[in-house]
Each structure stands twice: as structure tokens, then as C-alpha cells.
Amino acid sequence: MVIAVDGPAASGKGTLARRLATHYGFAYLDTGSLYRAVGQAVRAGGGDPADKEAALAAAKALDVSRIDEQAIRTAEAGEAASLVAVMPEVRAAILHFQRDFASRPPQGEPGAVLDGRDIGTVVCPGAQAKLFVTARPEIRARRRWLELKNSGADVTEAQVLDDIVERDRRDAERAASPMKPAEDAHLLDTSDLSIEAAFGAAVAIIDKALG
């Protein structure tokens, strides 16, 4: 049983996907963290995330057990992730891991929840339930800015909005696995919803899809 949760940055898909995994007793995978880890690994090694060879080498050497959650949540890591994520070679290197996780969830869980930008269209097109979670850019920018501010980052809300808009453009226009809703995905706009309201709406959609 697979639930695909796609959507742009700061739409709330990660928070939602984690709660859904707990609710249904499924394994959870934040696929965006894989690309963040690759980008951060290149930066940590003194390389340029836009360098295809360096990014591919980092993707092939990726060890999910050694991902530094704090390091990959910075604005710089997010920017690096959006650069490596447009590379077909990097996406191909990570695709196998994602599909294996979905088909054989760790620790014997009966299903998996994967969140990202191409789960319902490329990674798990046969997922039994698909959500495309979105929100207005200004709302997403404020959410991300508050996260960064609380972590001590020195960045303005306007800068975060510019980054959000640019990442949306890159994700939607990339040749490899562009971000877009699957034809059978259910759209969930969280702009004016609390976390509880968004979760309730998602559960209602998924319960109906799973029967």
C-alpha cells in the first residue's frame, strides 16, 4: 500500500506525510531529503552542486543512515537540492532507492508514505492514493521564513519568497521528472487550512481512495 504526497516547497506536504504515516502505521520517506543530502554533500566537499559529475558521485555514495538532518535543512542546502534535482543522472541514481523503499518498507510496515515532487508521476505511478499538496507562494514563503528564523538564519521573508518562486520554476520546467500533479492525484490547497484541518481533509481523501 503506497500513498504518494507531492507538492512544492513549504506547502505542508512533509508535515502532512509524516502524520499520515503515523496514522496508518506506514513507513515514511522524505524523498526531498535525499536530494538535499546530495547537494549538501557536494557543498561540504568544496564542490559546486551544479557540477554534474560531483553531484552524481555524491548520489551514488549516499548513505541515508548518515544524513545530518540539521545540515540539510538550511536555505543553502535547499538551494543545492534544487540544482542537483534537475539532473537526470542524479534522479536515476536515487530512483531505485525510492522504489525499493516503497515496495519493501523497512521493518515490515504494511505500506509506505513518500513525499516529494514526482512520486505520483514517476517514482510510484501505481500508488493507491495520491495527493498534490499546494499553497499560495506568499503563504509558503512565510512558513519557510519562520522556520529559518527560528533556526537562527539571517534571511528576509522577501528573499525566501524569491527563492520559492525560483525553485517552483526550476522544478516545473526541468526536463527530468518535472513537478506536476498526477492525473489521478487529489489537489489539497493548504493556504487557509490549519494543520489539523489539512490532515483531516487528507485522511478523508485517502480513506475513500483506499476503500
Side-chain angles (χ1 to χ4, degrees), residues 125-190:
Q128 290 86 345
K130 300 177 184 179
L131 293 176
F132 191 86
V133 184
T134 188
R136 296 188 297 275
E138 296 78 9
I139 298 293
R140 293 189 284 122
R142 182 159 187 79
R143 291 172 180 169
R144 181 54 52 82
W145 174 69
L146 288 172
E147 290 178 0
L148 294 171
K149 182 181 177 182
N150 289 336
S151 66
D154 183 17
V155 62
T156 68
E157 190 170 348
Q159 289 174 319
V160 176
L161 177 58
D162 288 343
D163 289 343
I164 288 282
V165 171
E166 175 59 20
R167 286 189 64 187
D168 285 354
R169 184 195 65 76
R170 255 198 313 252
D171 289 340
E173 295 179 1
R174 68 188 179 213
S177 306
M179 179 182 67
K180 62 180 181 180
E183 291 184 0
D184 54 346
H186 297 270
L187 182 66
L188 179 58
D189 191 323
T190 66

Side-chain angles (χ1 to χ4, degrees), residues 9 30 33 44 54 64 67 69 74 88 92 96 98 107 116 159 163 168 197 203-204:
D30 170 9
S33 68
V64 294
I67 292 178
E69 283 295 326
T74 64
H96 177 73
Q98 295 171 321
Q107 300 176 344
Q159 289 174 319
D163 289 343
D168 285 354
V203 168

Side-chain angles (χ1 to χ4, degrees), residues 34-62 71-72 76-77 79-81 83-85 87 90 94:
L34 304 179
Y35 294 101
R36 282 175 170 266
V38 170
Q40 178 61 20
V42 175
R43 290 182 70 253
D48 181 357
D51 181 342
K52 289 184 179 180
E53 291 187 5
L56 180 57
K60 290 181 176 179
L62 182 64
I72 67 171
E76 293 78 12
E79 176 65 16
L83 292 173
V84 302
M87 303 173 186
V90 171
I94 290 178

